[in-house]
Amino acid sequence: MLYAFIATDGTDMQINELKAKEFRQAMSQLSAAVNVVSTDGPNGRYGVTASAVCSVTDSPPTVLVCLNRKGAAHDALLSNGRVCINILSGHHEALAMQFAGMTNVPHAERFASETWEDGPSGLPVLRDALASLEGVIVYTKTVGSHTVIFVEIANIRMGDSGESLTYFSRGFHRLPYVATA
């Protein structure tokens, strides 16, 4: 199917005839790292599995996270104003499923494991994550069903090298670590 792109003001593009189901199918072919985005503060301790995470700039270090506005953690993450992006290792599939709401583990019990500790900013940090990035939400933008959250990173904790957990074709996969020279 051919899609028409119509310029409205020279900078914005509108997509005509794009069907949500076809779009989701196409995006399922885009491999993505799996993360648990966590928060703690006056509005509670929450976490959510997210694959729509990407670096924006290294000066200042900024990451964007896209979250569904209907998700249980959405409002707490925004209200607390601080988040930690925990990049998951290959062995974290069960954890990713818990925080995605794919198991019967109640939200209040998802941080019960000893694998969680408080980071320098007081946010839940996954002890054996490939990396954990704590930061402050500096900007948000609502786009359709999601909120795009820009996080300026204040603390970075590197874990051990290992397999990465990725999401591709509607399933979790382990991407092996390959040392580079």
Side-chain angles (χ1 to χ4, degrees):
M1 173 174 274
L2 181 62
Y3 298 103
F5 294 90
I6 304 166
T8 58
D9 66 357
T11 58
D12 292 334
M13 300 296 277
Q14 292 181 342
I15 300 174
N16 190 6
E17 297 183 36
L18 185 60
K19 296 178 182 171
K21 184 177 180 181
E22 290 171 313
F23 180 74
R24 286 191 303 271
Q25 179 60 29
M27 291 298 96
S28 76
Q29 300 307 298
L30 179 62
S31 176
V34 181
N35 310 272
V36 169
V37 181
S38 58
T39 190
D40 200 359
N43 295 292
R45 181 174 267 216
Y46 285 90
V48 62
T49 299
S51 60
V53 174
C54 107
S55 64
V56 175
T57 181
D58 65 357
S59 184
T62 305
V63 175
L64 72 78
V65 178
C66 299
L67 292 177
N68 190 315
R69 293 188 348 239
K70 292 180 182 176
H74 177 271
D75 292 346
L77 287 163
L78 292 181
S79 298
N80 286 340
R82 303 173 311 134
V83 299
C84 181
I85 298 142
N86 298 280
I87 302 170
L88 300 187
S89 183
H91 70 274
H92 287 134
E93 183 174 339
L95 184 73
M97 292 175 67
Q98 282 182 358
F99 280 91
M102 300 167 74
T103 66
N104 292 325
V105 176
H107 196 84
E109 295 176 19
R110 294 178 187 170
F111 290 103
S113 162
E114 300 113 33
T115 61
W116 292 97
E117 62 187 27
D118 289 341
S121 300
L123 296 169
V125 173
L126 184 60
R127 190 180 314 246
D128 60 345
L130 291 176
S132 296
L133 302 98
E134 294 178 87
V136 176
I137 297 172
V138 294
Y139 180 74
T140 63
K141 173 75 176 166
T142 300
V143 180
S145 60
H146 284 63
T147 300
V148 182
I149 302 168
F150 290 83
V151 181
E152 189 170 317
I153 304 303
N155 299 302
I156 299 172
R157 177 176 169 175
M158 296 299 298
D160 294 332
S161 298
E163 292 180 320
S164 175
L165 186 62
T166 62
Y167 197 74
F168 173 72
S169 193
R170 293 188 171 84
F172 293 105
H173 304 276
R174 292 178 177 205
L175 183 64
Y177 173 77
V178 178
T180 56

